[in-house]
Amino acid sequence: RLLDIPYMVVNIKDAMKGIVDRIDYGFRSVYNTDKEIEITEPAYINIAPRIRMTVLYTVAQSMGNGWRVVGTTNKSEDYIGWLTKWGDGGVDFEPIIDFTVTEIRKLGLNLGLPKNLVCKTPIDGLAEGSDEDRIGFTYDALDKYIVEGTTGDSVIDKKIECMHEYSEHKRNLIPRYKLKI
């Protein structure tokens, strides 16, 4: 609204429920059990971004040739894999992926965007708490690590290193088998 950009809201609550119900039904059928499948919290949280990606591509494709899905992943999130593979990571291009959160905040303020919007604590709206609560450190600390190679706290450094290593598959192309004849 602030930038007068047209938008629409698509409620995906029923789609999420339908997917969870069908997974549970399939699980019960395959394993011939009355027990429900226990979908882990991370797996459940990632359903919504994947549905949103489907909605975005459906709208873009329906608008005609030339429409593309733009990502909002930044360098900080990308470094630790704080995105859903085939969800918010499934886009046509990422215009801010080479900027840390700190740099994006500076850019937003320089563009005259409201400080309360630019500097608010990021939340993904998918789980309780802020992103920083869930990852266990601040974006300021993460950006310092990215720029300087350390946060100054060895425990946080190790956590960042582990998240970066674990999420490598999100930053690389899909491995492909090459047939050589």
Side-chain angles (χ1 to χ4, degrees):
R1 290 183 192 138
L2 175 74
L3 299 175
D4 199 30
I5 297 171
Y7 68 93
M8 65 182 193
V9 176
V10 177
N11 188 322
I12 62 171
K13 182 178 168 185
D14 290 342
M16 282 193 61
K17 182 177 180 342
I19 288 171
V20 170
D21 288 349
R22 296 313 300 170
I23 290 170
D24 187 53
Y25 174 80
F27 175 81
R28 290 174 191 232
S29 298
V30 168
Y31 292 100
N32 196 23
T33 181
D34 289 333
K35 185 180 175 192
E36 292 182 3
I37 187 171
E38 293 182 33
I39 297 174
T40 65
E41 183 182 26
Y44 181 78
I45 288 170
N46 283 322
I47 294 170
R50 292 184 176 120
I51 294 171
R52 286 192 306 229
M53 181 268 305
T54 300
V55 169
L56 290 171
Y57 274 96
T58 300
V59 171
Q61 189 174 13
S62 298
M63 297 300 290
N65 293 332
W67 285 75
R68 299 292 180 260
V69 176
V70 180
T72 59
T73 301
N74 57 61
K75 187 174 192 170
S76 308
E77 294 167 331
D78 186 54
Y79 191 83
I80 59 169
W82 200 249
L83 60 110
T84 300
K85 194 172 188 177
W86 311 124
D88 51 344
V91 297
D92 292 313
F93 67 104
E94 293 278 12
I96 62 172
I97 202 159
D98 206 30
F99 296 93
T100 64
V101 168
T102 303
E103 293 167 330
I104 292 167
R105 287 178 178 150
K106 287 179 185 174
L107 179 62
L109 293 172
N110 285 334
L111 290 172
L113 297 174
K115 185 175 182 177
N116 66 325
L117 179 65
V118 173
C119 298
K120 71 178 188 170
T121 302
I123 59 168
D124 60 17
L126 303 172
E128 296 292 321
S130 71
D131 291 1
E132 293 176 344
D133 292 336
R134 291 179 46 222
I135 61 178
F137 46 83
T138 65
Y139 278 109
D140 289 340
L142 175 56
D143 291 352
K144 182 177 180 183
Y145 181 90
I146 291 169
V147 172
E148 299 176 14
T150 184
T151 63
D153 181 324
S154 62
V155 173
I156 292 175
D157 288 356
K158 184 66 177 165
K159 186 168 188 173
I160 291 170
E161 290 164 11
C162 287
M163 290 178 82
H164 179 71
E165 185 178 322
Y166 175 76
S167 64
E168 182 178 353
H169 66 100
K170 295 181 180 184
R171 289 182 296 279
N172 294 325
L173 294 175
I174 300 170
R176 297 172 185 241
Y177 175 74
K178 293 283 191 178
L179 179 63
K180 295 182 182 180
I181 299 180

